[in-house]
Amino acid sequence: MSRTADIDFTFVRPVTLGSVVRAIEPSGWSAEEPLGVSYLIDEDDDFDWERAEPAEARSVLARLDAADSGATHVGVSLFSREAGTGGLMLFFPGRTMATFTPSINRRPLVDGSSLTDVAWYVGQLAGPLVELGLSGYTARDLEE
């Protein structure tokens, strides 16, 4: 059996990826992960993630924010260098909903557990996102 964990965020108004990254940067998060910058601009429903060099992070965020917000899914990998963990943030068309999936060195609830410490991720991300109009979130960790 495998596990899946994610946190769905809902905003009262559309947000940009750039604004989300700027909001969480003071907490040590960035779009730069150990392998570079992973991102998605899904214009053909194939959800192929791409990779760029860390020096390209700002230009990648600008491209993501310029994508058609009404019809295109966009995403970026987020990473906390201090905590050594991160995941993928996927934004849905309309940009009022996003999903974060812990996928880089996922933090366990307790050592040796397969459960994800979703509360830690919520604590890291939800607080800074309130300033952007976060109206709610749903966090879950399920066995598949």
Side-chain angles (χ1 to χ4, degrees):
M1 287 285 177
S2 65
R3 298 201 72 82
T4 184
D6 57 58
I7 306 164
D8 295 335
F9 295 101
T10 304
F11 298 89
V12 295
R13 60 186 170 277
V15 296
T16 64
L17 270 79
S19 66
V20 167
V21 171
R22 285 188 299 277
I24 63 175
E25 278 179 335
S27 300
W29 289 79
S30 80
E32 297 176 27
E33 51 149 312
L35 300 176
V37 178
S38 296
Y39 66 98
L40 167 76
I41 301 175
D42 186 47
E43 297 174 324
D44 56 7
D45 293 329
D46 64 5
F47 286 84
D48 287 335
W49 287 77
E50 298 181 44
R51 183 155 293 140
E53 294 298 318
E56 299 175 73
R58 292 293 172 210
S59 64
V60 166
L61 289 174
R63 286 181 49 212
L64 294 170
D65 287 341
D68 180 0
S69 65
T72 307
H73 288 83
V74 293
V76 68
S77 183
L78 300 173
F79 187 71
S80 170
R81 192 162 308 281
E82 180 180 316
T85 188
L88 302 174
M89 180 78 90
L90 178 68
F91 288 78
F92 295 87
R95 307 291 186 267
T96 59
M97 294 181 62
T99 295
F100 176 79
T101 304
S103 57
I104 304 170
N105 300 327
R106 188 176 49 85
R107 288 178 69 103
L109 186 58
V110 294
D111 286 338
S113 170
S114 64
L115 291 168
T116 304
D117 190 352
V118 291
W120 183 87
Y121 290 99
V122 168
Q124 290 285 303
L125 300 172
L129 297 180
V130 168
E131 294 178 26
L132 299 179
L134 180 68
S135 63
Y137 63 84
T138 302
R140 63 188 151 257
D141 181 322
L142 302 169
E143 189 172 67
E144 295 184 320

